[in-house]
Amino acid sequence: HRRFDYRPKTDPYCQARYTFCPTGSAIPLMKEEDVIEVYRLQAPVWEFKYGDLLGHLKIMHDAVGFKSSLTGKNYTMEWYELFQLGNCTFPHLRPGMDAPFWCNQGAACFYEGIDDAHWKENGTLVLVTTISGTMFNEMAQWVKYDNETGIYYETWTVQASPEKESIVWFDSYECSKFILRTYQKLADLGAVFKKVQTNYTSIILFSGEPIYLGNETSIFGPLGNRTLAAAIRDFYNPFKPHQTIKEFFVDLTKIIDRVILNHQFYLFYNLEYWFLPMKFPYVKIIYEEVPLPVASKASSGV
């Protein structure tokens, strides 16, 4: 996933149904001698059934919790979409505009408190490691860097086959990936993680080798490829980004039908368009283990 120099200003056209990070606050500076407990937090976004193709699925949202021994205060840190999931996955087709218009950014949100009931009743709230105040402060610096340079949300993982060692053409960039990066950073700083099973949700598309199509200007600009532009617009036409989680999954089923019927998918990734020659089993939502990282003695920096 490409890093960018800065986060672009959001277009006023992009409106969120729910405010991003409404109670967010700056990450506090912890005292060096503080001992901070780190918690893995996970709860379902939605569970749904789509025929025999996908079965009953666990769509999970991940976050990380902290508790300061010195102050007794709890904090939650998570990473999610600025304009909800539909906007990160599907573009708007706006009248008078040839190119699909994307309202897609993701960012970290940090706030005081852990909603114990939310995480415990429906999912997971488990201690994974303990760190010093110094390590917490170094992690906070890294979060700032990560947040300023990794700005686009990416729903899909794209790989060649369901095999474990399969080629990954494109990696997703969403809430769980941020949590995995955070754990890795803490391990690089010397955190030692407990032996806890940790599973994450991935939405995977299966494709032959992707074909590069170009960027917005080269496809939709004045010297663009009219036929290709029309094909991309046609592909995205059934999907309406401003929607509820439920409507998002209705559209997801539409896209799956199209993908299976036509064996094709147009992917927008790091501001470029790619054609995916889709192949069986086309799409899968998996919930699989990604082990907690092993502490490394040498810090890798940012």
Side-chain angles (χ1 to χ4, degrees):
H1 194 274
R2 182 174 144 202
R3 294 267 161 197
F4 291 84
D5 295 336
Y6 64 95
R7 183 178 287 278
K9 278 199 164 65
T10 57
D11 192 290
Y13 178 82
C14 300
Q15 295 294 321
R17 186 181 285 269
Y18 309 105
T19 309
F20 174 78
C21 204
T23 59
S25 58
I27 304 181
L29 192 66
M30 298 293 192
K31 288 207 164 84
E32 288 178 14
E33 68 276 14
D34 202 347
V35 176
I36 294 153
E37 293 177 336
V38 181
Y39 292 89
R40 161 177 157 79
L41 309 176
Q42 189 178 63
V45 173
W46 203 47
E47 292 187 21
F48 76 109
K49 201 174 177 72
Y50 181 56
D52 296 325
L53 177 69
L54 299 178
H56 203 60
L57 300 165
K58 280 191 157 179
I59 309 281
M60 308 299 275
H61 177 67
D62 298 272
V64 60
F66 302 98
K67 183 177 183 183
S68 158
S69 301
L70 283 180
T71 65
K73 283 184 175 177
N74 292 324
Y75 302 94
T76 301
M77 184 167 76
E78 55 190 328
W79 196 93
Y80 61 100
E81 325 87 44
L82 266 63
F83 312 107
Q84 279 77 64
L85 188 57
N87 277 308
C88 296
T89 312
F90 308 117
H92 294 256
L93 299 180
R94 293 173 66 181
M97 285 179 79
D98 217 22
F101 184 83
W102 293 85
C103 290
N104 178 9
Q105 281 191 40
C109 174
F110 187 94
Y111 53 95
E112 194 173 326
I114 294 175
D115 182 353
D116 284 35
H118 172 70
W119 303 105
K120 268 187 193 155
E121 283 169 22
N122 304 309
T124 307
L125 193 162
V126 63
L127 180 69
V128 288
T129 189
T130 306
I131 59 173
S132 67
T134 305
M135 285 156 80
F136 180 92
N137 294 336
E138 288 188 40
M139 177 208 72
Q141 285 300 311
W142 168 83
V143 168
K144 186 172 185 291
Y145 155 81
D146 186 76
N147 216 29
E148 285 169 357
T149 60
I151 50 183
Y152 295 109
Y153 189 100
E154 181 51 54
T155 304
W156 317 100
T157 295
V158 184
Q159 59 189 55
S161 78
E163 266 90 72
K164 262 275 186 262
E165 302 306 310
S166 163
I167 297 169
V168 176
W169 304 116
F170 298 97
D171 216 346
S172 61
Y173 199 82
E174 28 70 6
C175 66
S176 68
K177 290 297 197 306
F178 172 75
I179 302 306
L180 291 167
R181 290 196 302 280
T182 302
Y183 289 159
Q184 187 58 56
K185 182 63 189 174
L186 292 174
D188 293 343
L189 293 170
V192 178
F193 285 88
K194 293 176 179 296
K195 296 278 183 282
V196 177
Q197 183 167 343
T198 50
N199 289 47
Y200 300 92
T201 303
S202 296
I203 305 184
I204 303 176
L205 301 175
F206 299 101
S207 161
E209 186 164 348
I211 298 155
Y212 176 70
L213 300 175
N215 61 22
E216 187 178 297
T217 309
S218 70
I219 299 169
F220 298 94
L223 304 173
N225 180 331
R226 294 255 165 116
T227 313
L228 178 58
I232 293 173
R233 286 179 67 89
D234 180 59
F235 175 77
Y236 283 120
N237 195 46
F239 316 113
K240 304 291 176 283
H242 278 311
Q243 58 198 353
T244 62
I245 284 278
K246 189 177 172 187
E247 287 164 339
F248 166 75
F249 282 111
V250 169
D251 274 355
L252 191 60
T253 59
K254 282 187 204 164
I255 214 167
I256 289 161
D257 286 336
R258 284 196 139 201
V259 160
I260 292 169
L261 209 60
N262 305 324
H263 294 207
Q264 59 181 33
F265 190 101
Y266 289 96
L267 180 75
F268 187 60
Y269 191 91
N270 284 340
L271 305 181
E272 294 172 325
Y273 284 94
W274 295 79
F275 176 77
L276 305 181
M278 300 297 289
K279 59 187 199 185
F280 184 84
Y282 308 106
V283 61
K284 252 187 170 172
I285 300 187
I286 58 165
Y287 183 66
E288 66 176 6
E289 183 173 13
V290 181
L292 287 160
V294 177
S296 62
K297 285 291 165 268
S299 171
S300 68
V302 291

